[in-house]
């Protein structure tokens, strides 16, 4: 249960920095394009898509927020999230032709 | 067992938002094309294919729904799902040439 | 042990829908081409190759079938399988040039 | 420990079907080319490379064989192996230009 | 809890070698380009991005540093980190056209 | 703890076959190029990079060597390592244009 508590903190942190997510219940245009001005914006977009996949699977906001214990953290989950972002970033980078001139 | 209970909720959620899935027992055309109008529709298609892989492996609807406990959630499973969707999204994005003009 | 029991069910399910697999002991041509008519057939082929990797590693049919408990299921394993299929699907999609005209 | 026992069986199975591996201690040419005649041979090569990575990391044959309990099996490990083979297969398929004419 | 303690050490080590990270709270340009002079610099950049994904998800520096026990280490986490870096490195290598002439 | 002990053996084995690694503390050129003469040398380079990611994250040699118990082994960790090597190998293979003539 300890592990679950930790992972929950991660998820809550993900949402805390992106409070509007639970509201956009699927009808809004949240991903009109993969184009960004810089690699850094591309990285931010990768984080956004990774988060969206989580809220699409579990759209219940209360359920998501209930998962937040204040003091727990799971390094392994953080590493896993980094891996997921890496996959989305690869796609975005190719879409932007690696931001070459 | 706790972990299994949580993962089950995820799976049930996946199915709850896609109730028709268990019926299309393999004969129907559910993936005629990888082409979509926007990246967002491409993302939705990625979620659909990820779900299909689950129902193909476990086609028994009752078995899948029996896995749903009402209050459990597993952040790690949600992260993993996001990773699987990321892989399908990469393929769909390339198929659509990243929705360039 | 609970987890192992669940994963076993998955594996058994994989085989149940593909009983001939254990017999084709490596000499038959089971993968003459990566070409398919539609993305859907490409997806089915991805599932087939993912299964083949399992039977290649554990070719003993009795061993595989002994892993089947009737009532157990593991959502996490189902998600993992979806991820493996996603990787094979990416290769098949590229081989078929994404089924463009 | 149960899980470890199971995974060990997998590893032993990997080696059982490839007894010569521990002997080719790094000096022999075991991977002169990625080219194969068919997708199926490409798949077999992917399995070979996946195995080689294991024996490179743990070159002690006795250590590897000691890991073999006769009756244990781990479905999750089998799924993971399938995922690793999938990644090598992707590279081999691209090297062979997907075995197009 | 042992496992969590170990993973924490890893995370702390990641941060220890990159103390400025917690300060750049999202507004600074930390990824202006994917271009590097050599593969080795590309590898270092891959490590940097992998770390950034961790601090983006958990921006609380104290929380991250509190995860550091002095004597613990988790080989599995180290392997996972290597896998995440591998994915970012693949993108950077392609962006740099593999550092061909 | 058993699992940790096993993984440690793996890590120690990794280092045992590459004792110089802990010394090259980041300033030396250890990856001047991704080019190799053969696929096999490309595979060896993939193993080298995978190891480097581990030592970069945990640069303390004593800490790494302290992780070595003489008799333990973890098949799952070995499989995971193979997966990481597979990702680096994919990049190296593309850099070398698959060693075509």
């Amino acid at each position: 249960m300890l592990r679950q508590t930790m992972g929950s903190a991660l998820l809550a942190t993900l949402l805390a920095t992106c409070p509007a997510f639970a509201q956009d219940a699927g009808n809004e245009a949240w991903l009109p394009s993969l184009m960004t001005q810089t690699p850094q914006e591309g990285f931010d977009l990768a984080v956004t898509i990774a988060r969206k996949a989580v809220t699409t699977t579990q759209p219940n906001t209360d359920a998501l927020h209930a998962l937040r214990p204040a003091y727990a953290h799971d390094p392994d989950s953080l590493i896993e999230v980094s891996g997921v972002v890496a996959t989305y970033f690869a796609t975005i980078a190719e879409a932007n032709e690696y931001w070459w001139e």
Side-chain angles (χ1 to χ4, degrees), chain A:
Chain A
M1 196 153 106
L2 185 60
R3 184 178 172 88
Q4 192 261 331
T5 307
M6 290 164 193
S8 304
L10 161 68
L11 199 61
T13 302
L14 276 172
L15 293 169
T17 55
C18 194
F21 252 42
Q23 280 80 347
D24 67 353
N27 291 8
E28 301 168 30
W30 63 274
L31 187 60
S33 168
L34 296 181
M35 298 300 117
T36 69
Q37 290 294 315
T38 63
Q40 186 166 330
E41 287 178 21
F43 177 83
D44 293 342
L45 181 56
V47 173
T48 296
I49 304 179
R51 283 169 174 158
K52 185 67 179 178
V54 169
T55 54
T56 296
T57 304
Q58 173 49 284
N60 186 319
T61 321
D62 290 339
L64 284 172
H65 283 284
L67 295 172
R68 180 172 206 168
Y71 311 100
H73 313 278
D74 185 352
D76 285 335
S77 292
L78 291 170
I79 295 170
E80 271 178 62
V81 168
S82 183
V84 174
V85 172
T87 303
Y88 285 115
F89 183 67
T91 299
I92 292 166
E94 192 158 351
N96 286 278
E97 289 181 300
Y98 307 99
W99 297 276
W100 293 321
E101 289 312 277

